[in-house]
Amino acid sequence: MTETTKSQQISRLSTPPFRTLGRRLLIYVMLFSGLITLIGAALQLVVEYQTDIGKIHERLEQIETSYLVSLTHSLWVVDKEQIQVQMQGLLHLPDIERLEVRSSGKVIEVGEIPEASKRLSRSYPMVQSFKGQNFQLGTLTVDVNLSAVYERLWKQFLVILGTQAVKTTLVSIFILLMFHYLLTRHISFMAEFMSNLEETDVKPPLKLNRVPSNKRTDELDLLTNALNSMRQRVRHSRKLLNRHLDELEERVQERTQRLTEVNETLRLEIHERKKTAKALVVAKRDAESANHAKSEFVATMSHELRTPLSGILDMVRLLRNTEPSSKQDQWLDYLDLAGQNLATLLTDILDLSKIESGVLEMDDGLFNLPETVQQAISAATPRAIKKEILLNLEMDDALPKWLWGDRVKLLQVMTNLVGNAIKFTHGGSVTLKVSKESGHQDKMSYRFEVIDTGVGIDPNLSEKLFEPFFQVETNLNQHSGGTGLGLAICHRMVEGMGGRIGVDSTPGQGSTFWFVAPFRVAQQNEIDSVKMTSGDTLTAERSISILLVEDNPIIMEGVKSLLELDAHQVQTASNGLQALERYQEGHFDLVLMDVRMPGMDGLETTRRLRALPLSSDSPLTIIGLTGDVVQENLKRCLASGMNQVLTKPLRFERLKKILVEISKSPPKKQEQ
């Protein structure tokens, strides 16, 4: 270390007491003392203010009890001079700046208060009793100037503040000086002592310039002893360092051997990297296998969850046909709503899985817009009634009603947004508004808005709302539930339609979730074709012979009973082998085939049924039943020979349409 560097370091170590630690201590002490001073002064001012206001109210009560009667009497005898004298006397009371007597449109005024001054006014009716009757003669108004009160309080505040500031400054300076005397000067001396250590240091050990005390050892004594011990260790370490430097030349001779060892190590490392590359290939294959296993897990969980849910909803439908009481019917509504909510949750999870996998498919079918919008309102009505929220629908009647697009996803987006609005609205209303955004006769963009009077959302969170699993937490919705997937799915679905989605919200005033989506307007001939088809009844023309293959006894009983309510003939089988036996023993118009069954599954059973000779000229209709909604698995069902696949929970409207079509063909006859 050069002498210049040493001098610079010593200069830095010799820091004045009003800098570094001392300065920070001074700032902290003054800030804390100032805060305490402000709080104390504020409390004292509040007490003084309340005391002054109390005195003013006492004087006003004194005027009412002592002076109002005499003023009223003077007004009764119309003695204006006496009234003036009495009012002038009242002006001598503290803080009374103005008095006014108003009677029969005439005003007697004494004193005045500047316009900018703060005032306190009191009015007293002047009532004179005469022969048992009370006469309202006028009104006495007393104005008190509060500016004087505020001025006294302000002066008192300045005096308190100045006094405390002086005290704080003196105490802080005293503390700083004591801090420097007791601590920082010794620390600076220790730092300078340690910076001057040399290998051949023969100076005496560190000793502080302080009054010796034999009673106790404090922190500075401990630090001094530690530095002296470190000084000895540093000297010893420097000697060892010189010895190591002497040995360095001997070590240089060993470097050639070490370089050889390094080369060998590099060769081994290259070999290990090749093994790592092979391991990465295996890991990639394992990851792909794990991804496939994840898809299989999602499919299995979907089936295992939807299957019992289907049984629950089927039993609800059966119970509705037993003429339940009004209370029981209400319980069935709750049970059905819970099942539908669970089905929606499963759909959300699977939709997100499909979206993240890039396999979300958009349908392009003809649908009626007002009916679809009304379905969204009807689905949310029970929840709105339960929360006593007004649910409104605003839709321009001039808009084209028949459109081409994905009706199911449009309904899902509207239902999700309306449901969210009801969830976070605790009073007021929720409105679904449909209007034209832009476009022409062939293709139009529609704007859908869900307006609520709920808790509102911080605008800074609007971009995160449409991210998966994100949920806004407020004091009102900490337990509102939900997975945080709905808005993310809506965002992806609207983008899939070629539209856009957003939100406008003000905290505490409500939110407006909106999305714009384009649809192709249907032509009249297309509309007429759909109306003819929709006019067909859902009642089968004849009884249909059905083979129901289902391993779950609850679903088997539910579906069988619902079909028998429509006078259809149903035979059941609990596995694939039993289904083949039942089919060969009888004749059936339709086979309802569960896809996942132990042993021989529905796919293999379908293939074997298709391999059997036909019992009539018309082909056998096989409808798959599955809780698995993964698109690849549904395609495998169709490839095995199934005509259609219905997902669980079953929508009996779709099944009834199939039964109507089958009933139009003649019944199958058993093969001779």
Side-chain angles (χ1 to χ4, degrees):
M1 182 182 297
T2 63
E3 293 297 322
T4 303
T5 305
K6 287 183 180 180
S7 61
Q8 291 176 353
Q9 186 173 2
I10 294 172
S11 176
R12 288 195 302 269
L13 294 172
S14 303
T15 306
F18 290 92
R19 297 178 63 183
T20 61
L21 291 177
R23 180 178 60 183
R24 276 180 267 172
L25 178 63
L26 177 63
I27 292 173
Y28 293 153
V29 170
M30 295 189 71
L31 286 177
F32 180 78
S33 301
L35 178 62
I36 297 300
T37 300
L38 288 175
I39 294 174
L43 292 176
Q44 187 172 352
L45 287 179
V46 169
V47 173
E48 292 293 333
Y49 175 78
Q50 292 177 346
T51 302
D52 290 344
I53 292 298
K55 292 179 179 179
I56 290 174
H57 283 292
E58 290 177 359
R59 284 192 285 272
L60 291 175
E61 290 177 1
Q62 181 183 1
I63 292 174
E64 182 181 7
T65 55
S66 303
Y67 297 93
L68 182 60
V69 175
S70 60
L71 275 172
T72 302
H73 179 72
S74 299
L75 184 62
W76 172 258
V77 299
V78 194
D79 190 349
K80 294 184 178 180
E81 293 181 358
Q82 182 63 26
I83 292 173
Q84 288 283 352
V85 171
Q86 290 174 332
M87 292 174 68
Q88 288 292 341
L90 289 176
L91 281 179
H92 290 87
L93 293 177
D95 301 318
I96 304 299
E97 295 290 337
R98 177 180 174 276
L99 293 101
E100 177 188 281
V101 174
R102 186 179 295 272
S103 176
S104 301
K106 297 181 179 180
V107 179
I108 302 176
E109 183 178 3
V110 176
E112 63 178 359
I113 296 179
E115 289 295 329
S117 300
K118 296 183 181 295
R119 67 180 67 186
L120 174 65
S121 297
R122 284 285 183 87
S123 297
Y124 305 98
M126 304 178 71
V127 180
Q128 178 68 38
S129 297
F130 182 72
K131 293 183 178 182
Q133 295 185 1
N134 294 326
F135 295 89
Q136 176 74 37
L137 303 181
T139 302
L140 171 64
T141 300
V142 181
D143 290 338
V144 178
N145 188 358
L146 297 179
S147 298
V149 175
Y150 295 149
E151 185 176 354
R152 288 197 303 271
L153 292 175
W154 175 248
K155 290 180 179 179
Q156 188 174 359
F157 175 76
L158 292 179
V159 170
I160 295 173
L161 200 62
T163 303
Q164 293 298 329
V166 172
K167 292 180 180 178
T168 300
T169 302
L170 294 176
V171 170
S172 300
I173 293 174
F174 174 77
I175 292 175
L176 178 61
L177 293 175
M178 292 301 298
F179 184 75
H180 175 69
Y181 177 79
L182 296 175
L183 183 62
T184 56
R185 69 187 185 96
H186 299 303
I187 294 177
S188 299
F189 180 77
M190 292 177 186
E192 182 178 355
F193 179 85
M194 294 304 297
S195 66
N196 292 326
L197 285 179
E198 296 291 344
E199 178 184 353
T200 59
D201 188 9
V202 293
K203 294 192 297 184
L206 174 64
K207 185 177 181 181
L208 299 180
N209 183 19
R210 56 189 306 210
V211 178
S213 176
N214 298 325
K215 295 182 180 180
R216 65 179 65 182
T217 301
D218 59 13
E219 290 80 0
L220 286 176
D221 293 328
L222 295 175
L223 181 59
T224 301
N225 296 334
L227 290 177
N228 285 325
S229 296
M230 186 180 70
R231 169 175 168 270
Q232 295 296 330
R233 290 195 298 271
V234 168
R235 294 177 63 187
H236 179 68
S237 298
R238 286 181 175 176
K239 292 179 180 179
L240 292 178
L241 178 61
N242 290 331
R243 187 183 306 167
H244 291 318
L245 290 175
D246 295 335
E247 296 173 355
L248 184 60
E249 292 184 2
E250 298 177 1
R251 295 184 180 181
V252 170
Q253 298 176 2
E254 300 174 0
R255 294 195 62 181
T256 303
Q257 181 63 30
R258 291 186 179 181
L259 288 175
T260 303
E261 295 175 357
V262 169
N263 289 334
E264 181 64 18
T265 302
L266 289 175
R267 186 185 67 80
L268 294 175
E269 184 177 350
I270 292 172
H271 178 70
E272 290 295 326
R273 288 191 177 184
K274 290 181 179 180
K275 291 174 59 177
T276 302
K278 293 180 180 179
L280 288 175
V281 173
V282 175
K284 178 183 178 183
R285 187 163 52 247
D286 293 340
E288 293 173 349
S289 176
N291 186 50
H292 177 72
K294 184 197 78 170
S295 300
E296 287 296 323
F297 173 78
V298 171
T300 302
M301 290 305 299
S302 173
H303 177 81
E304 295 300 326
L305 290 173
R306 286 175 178 269
T307 296
L309 180 59
S310 178
I312 293 172
L313 296 179
D314 290 346
M315 291 302 169
V316 171
R317 295 188 184 97
L318 286 174
L319 289 172
R320 290 191 187 280
N321 289 282
T322 60
E323 298 183 358
S325 65
S326 59
K327 189 63 176 179
Q328 291 171 336
D329 194 64
Q330 182 181 10
W331 292 343
L332 290 175
D333 288 340
Y334 291 155
L335 184 59
D336 187 66
L337 179 61
Q340 297 297 339
N341 289 340
L342 182 56
T344 301
L345 174 61
L346 291 174
T347 302
D348 285 350
I349 295 174
L350 293 171
D351 282 345
L352 182 65
S353 177
K354 290 188 288 185
I355 288 170
E356 291 179 342
S357 301
V359 294
L360 182 65
E361 297 181 356
M362 305 301 296
D363 190 16
D364 188 20
L366 186 61
F367 68 97
N368 185 287
L369 179 61
E371 291 180 359
T372 305
V373 174
Q374 188 59 49
Q375 287 180 10
I377 293 295
S378 299
T381 298
R383 294 179 61 189
I385 294 175
K386 183 177 180 181
K387 296 188 68 173
E388 299 182 354
I389 294 173
L390 184 62
L391 187 58
N392 302 318
L393 172 61
E394 296 180 9
M395 185 173 179
D396 188 359
D397 294 332
L399 294 175
K401 295 179 174 55
W402 288 92
L403 306 174
W404 285 94
D406 196 326
R407 187 194 73 86
V408 175
K409 291 184 175 57
L410 173 62
L411 178 60
Q412 185 173 348
V413 174
M414 289 190 296
T415 303
N416 202 313
L417 294 182
V418 174
N420 274 354
I422 294 175
K423 181 192 299 184
F424 295 102
T425 299
H426 303 277
S429 64
V430 173
T431 302
L432 174 57
K433 183 177 180 181
V434 184
S435 59
K436 175 184 176 182
E437 176 80 4
S438 62
H440 46 77
Q441 294 182 352
D442 295 331
K443 191 170 185 179
M444 296 178 59
S445 290
Y446 285 74
R447 183 179 182 87
F448 302 83
E449 297 176 277
V450 178
I451 308 167
D452 65 64
T453 58
V455 296
I457 302 169
D458 188 348
N460 296 327
L461 301 178
S462 59
E463 295 183 359
K464 297 183 179 179
L465 285 175
F466 300 98
E467 297 177 0
F469 306 107
F470 179 81
Q471 290 180 299
V472 177
E473 294 188 359
T474 67
N475 292 332
L476 296 176
N477 76 320
Q478 290 177 351
H479 304 288
S480 60
T483 60
L485 298 176
L487 291 178
I489 293 172
C490 290
H491 181 250
R492 306 290 179 84
M493 287 185 174
V494 171
E495 285 185 342
M497 297 178 192
R500 63 187 190 279
I501 188 171
V503 59
D504 302 318
S505 181
T506 302
Q509 299 183 12
S511 306
T512 298
F513 282 82
W514 57 267
F515 68 96
V516 178
F519 298 97
R520 183 168 65 87
V521 180
Q523 302 300 319
Q524 188 60 44
N525 59 339
E526 298 171 332
I527 299 173
D528 294 338
S529 175
V530 171
K531 287 183 177 180
M532 291 177 60
T533 304
S534 62
D536 295 339
T537 178
L538 291 180
T539 303
E541 298 179 4
R542 62 177 176 84
S543 176
I544 297 174
S545 178
I546 302 172
L547 175 59
L548 173 60
V549 186
E550 174 61 60
D551 65 316
N552 188 297
I554 299 176
I555 296 180
M556 178 187 292
E557 179 61 25
V559 176
K560 179 176 180 294
S561 300
L562 288 170
L563 291 172
E564 288 177 345
L565 287 175
D566 291 338
H568 298 299
Q569 302 173 12
V570 183
Q571 293 191 36
T572 60
S574 59
N575 55 62
L577 292 175
Q578 196 176 72
L580 294 174
E581 294 175 1
R582 294 280 192 275
Y583 180 78
Q584 292 174 339
E585 293 172 357
H587 60 285
F588 301 94
D589 301 303
L590 171 66
V591 176
L592 295 177
M593 180 71 67
D594 185 21
V595 175
R596 289 178 179 258
M597 294 185 295
M600 185 186 300
D601 63 8
L603 302 182
E604 181 61 27
T605 305
T606 300
R607 295 188 191 99
R608 295 195 182 189
L609 286 175
R610 291 301 185 194
L612 295 174
L614 296 175
S615 59
S616 64
D617 294 335
S618 59
L620 174 66
T621 301
I622 302 177
I623 304 298
L625 305 178
T626 180
D628 183 1
V629 294
V630 177
Q631 198 66 25
E632 293 181 359
N633 295 340
L634 296 179
K635 290 179 180 179
R636 283 199 291 268
C637 294
L638 299 177
S640 69
M642 296 180 182
N643 299 88
Q644 294 186 45
V645 182
L646 299 181
T647 58
K648 300 175 184 178
L650 289 180
R651 295 182 180 178
F652 269 81
E653 293 78 11
R654 293 185 60 188
L655 181 57
K656 286 184 177 181
K657 290 181 180 179
I658 297 173
L659 297 176
V660 169
E661 291 298 322
I662 295 176
S663 69
K664 295 178 181 179
S665 60
K668 296 183 183 295
K669 296 181 180 180
Q670 188 170 2
E671 196 173 58
Q672 301 296 328

